[in-house]
Amino acid sequence: SFLAPTVPPVRLRDTPPRVTCQTIMATLRPFRGTRFNVDAERLARIVAPPYDVISPEQREGYAAQDDHSVVLLTLPEQNEDDRSKFIKYARSASRLEEWKREGTLHVEDVPSFYRYTQSFEVPGTGHTFTRTKLVATIKVEPYANQVVLPHEQTFPKHKEDRKRILEATRSHLECIFGLYEDDDQSLHNLVVNAPADDSQTITTEEDGIVHIFERISDEAAINAIVEEAAEKKVWIADGHHRYETALSFREDLGEKDGLIPEDFMMMALCSISDPGLVLLPTHRILKKMPMLKALLAEHFDVTPASNNQLMATIEQINSEGKRAFGVAMPGGQGVVAQVRDLDALVAEIAGPGSEDLKRLDVSILHGYIFAKLLGLTGLDFFSYTRIEREALQAAEEQETIAFLMNPPTVDDMRTIALGGDFMPQKSTYYYPKLLSGMVIWSLKDFQA
């Protein structure tokens, strides 16, 4: 249920991408980060996962750990007596400034890059990895410029929320996660070997992940990284909504002379060849029990299997280059549904999108099984989980069906992005998530 990919050459389409333009290079800059001025033990209580993977209950748990928890900034509370639903954004901005005044947050004295290393075990496997990222500010570019590329769909209501908090705080409170092309690992090696002059190490209790955050302010190292990064394309791995929010925030200002703070946002960049780049599957749980087995017969070989054996079985099928889903059902007995003829099935998936997109597991599930066989569209008829045990438990307790899936590969993501397509939301889950609270960037600390 994990993938630490070795990246083969990209399989492009025979026809060119739908969007072409002049070559524009990626612009990375060091920045004066805002960091919590606390010891490692307290920092571990302050940080939290990104805003969009935290449930309301989890948010309350993180907020209770420390009165300066980062969720008080990224997910400000809505009080019953608030005169407007927008007051919560001003609450976040007010706290940010107050924490700076009191010294809990401090602004670095020199523009720097940051090296962010996570050492972790993939849940349920015993396999351990280390992933290294460069935290920088990057110039936001329209997707049409082919510098920063997306691969997932986004939704307006999520972008409106993030834009309001950006407007209120004038700060990027969290990093988004990007990948860069780096077959010879030249940029990766520069990041790994750059001298650091400050370091924080924390271990998060709930998952045992070790996070090491180091400042890189050496001028020669910074210049080498900037020069090497300029030739790279960047793929958004995690944070499409926040990227598009930053892009809209900049576009609202119109044309300006020279670079301005709104041109940039914070991003943690990882080599696409990093051996610690791990993708987990995202399983789907239906909210109602459909009559499914007979409907699958046309394009799938359906084999009974214990729910507990489904994931291992579809992983084996996937390793042989074939497509399959595990369908967990109440009573502990489900089925393995293996695609019989992929080309014939793809031909029945309606709607726009390339053949590369339609051949993905997630597209087969949404475009054929959900939409065509079951007549289910939209986002309200199912829920997500990345944990196999939770999917199986849901099938039993809710008396419904859970679809266990293999994850897409990094190469899948890259091919889809280069082709100008978009996967369904929640198609990729890079593990582990970045921690929010390791660094913040305020636009007022921009240096032209």
Side-chain angles (χ1 to χ4, degrees), residues 318-335:
N318 185 67
S319 71
E320 298 167 0
K322 301 173 184 177
R323 298 280 193 270
F325 300 92
V327 187
M329 299 179 178
Q333 190 75 6
V335 298

Side-chain angles (χ1 to χ4, degrees), residues 344-359:
L345 189 154
V346 166
E348 296 202 31
I349 298 178
S354 67
E355 184 171 315
D356 285 324
L357 176 64
K358 292 180 178 180
R359 294 172 77 89

Side-chain angles (χ1 to χ4, degrees), residues 136-195:
T137 52
I138 186 170
K139 188 173 184 290
V140 295
E141 300 281 359
Y143 293 148
N145 290 349
Q146 295 276 289
V147 175
V148 179
L149 298 170
H151 72 274
E152 279 192 357
Q153 298 170 349
T154 57
F155 297 93
K157 69 176 183 178
H158 302 309
K159 287 183 280 190
E160 180 186 359
D161 170 67
R162 289 300 97 181
K163 190 170 183 179
R164 290 191 181 279
I165 206 162
L166 177 57
E167 289 171 339
T169 64
R170 290 193 56 79
S171 297
H172 290 279
L173 304 174
E174 304 178 283
C175 281
I176 72 169
F177 186 27
L179 307 176
Y180 57 85
E181 193 86 56
D182 196 35
D183 289 339
D184 63 359
Q185 299 204 15
S186 53
L187 179 53
H188 174 80
N189 290 334
L190 285 174
V191 174
V192 168
N193 295 319

Side-chain angles (χ1 to χ4, degrees), residues 41-263:
E41 183 178 353
R42 186 179 180 196
L43 183 62
R45 298 194 301 270
I46 286 174
V47 295
Y51 82 100
D52 57 343
V53 298
I54 300 176
S55 69
E57 295 76 21
Q58 290 171 325
R59 187 265 180 203
E60 294 309 305
Y62 286 115
Q65 289 181 173
D66 194 282
D67 58 6
H68 287 69
S69 171
V70 72
V71 299
L72 298 174
L73 303 178
T74 61
L75 290 168
E77 68 276 17
Q78 186 82 54
N79 295 333
E80 289 185 6
D81 59 350
D82 284 347
R83 291 169 296 168
S84 163
K85 66 180 181 179
F86 304 123
I87 287 178
K88 66 179 182 179
Y89 303 111
R91 186 170 286 125
S92 178
S94 176
R95 282 187 180 127
L96 182 63
E97 294 309 311
E98 179 185 350
W99 295 356
K100 289 180 183 178
R101 286 194 302 271
E102 70 185 25
T104 306
L105 283 171
H106 75 99
V107 181
E108 305 272 32
D109 54 353
V110 294
S112 305
F113 287 138
Y114 299 89
R115 181 170 53 230
Y116 182 11
T117 305
Q118 292 169 296
S119 297
F120 57 95
E121 179 179 310
V122 178
T125 69
H127 298 284
T128 58
F129 297 93
T130 296
R131 187 177 71 191
T132 304
K133 296 156 293 298
L134 172 73
V135 179
T137 52
I138 186 170
K139 188 173 184 290
V140 295
E141 300 281 359
Y143 293 148
N145 290 349
Q146 295 276 289
V147 175
V148 179
L149 298 170
H151 72 274
E152 279 192 357
Q153 298 170 349
T154 57
F155 297 93
K157 69 176 183 178
H158 302 309
K159 287 183 280 190
E160 180 186 359
D161 170 67
R162 289 300 97 181
K163 190 170 183 179
R164 290 191 181 279
I165 206 162
L166 177 57
E167 289 171 339
T169 64
R170 290 193 56 79
S171 297
H172 290 279
L173 304 174
E174 304 178 283
C175 281
I176 72 169
F177 186 27
L179 307 176
Y180 57 85
E181 193 86 56
D182 196 35
D183 289 339
D184 63 359
Q185 299 204 15
S186 53
L187 179 53
H188 174 80
N189 290 334
L190 285 174
V191 174
V192 168
N193 295 319
D197 53 20
D198 178 72
S199 179
Q200 288 178 306
T201 300
I202 64 172
T203 301
T204 42
E205 274 188 26
E206 63 271 23
D207 49 28
I209 297 171
V210 178
H211 304 260
I212 303 176
F213 204 81
E214 302 169 286
R215 186 176 70 176
I216 300 170
S217 60
D218 179 80
E219 186 174 352
I222 288 174
N223 290 339
I225 289 170
V226 169
E227 182 177 356
E228 186 67 33
E231 302 298 326
K232 309 296 185 185
K233 284 186 183 294
V234 173
W235 284 264
I236 300 173
D238 201 358
H240 288 77
H241 289 93
R242 282 168 285 167
Y243 184 83
E244 292 176 21
T245 294
L247 188 59
S248 171
F249 185 62
R250 171 61 186 91
E251 289 174 343
D252 286 348
L253 300 177
E255 293 294 327
K256 299 288 182 182
D257 293 330
L259 295 175
I260 61 174
E262 292 84 356
D263 281 322

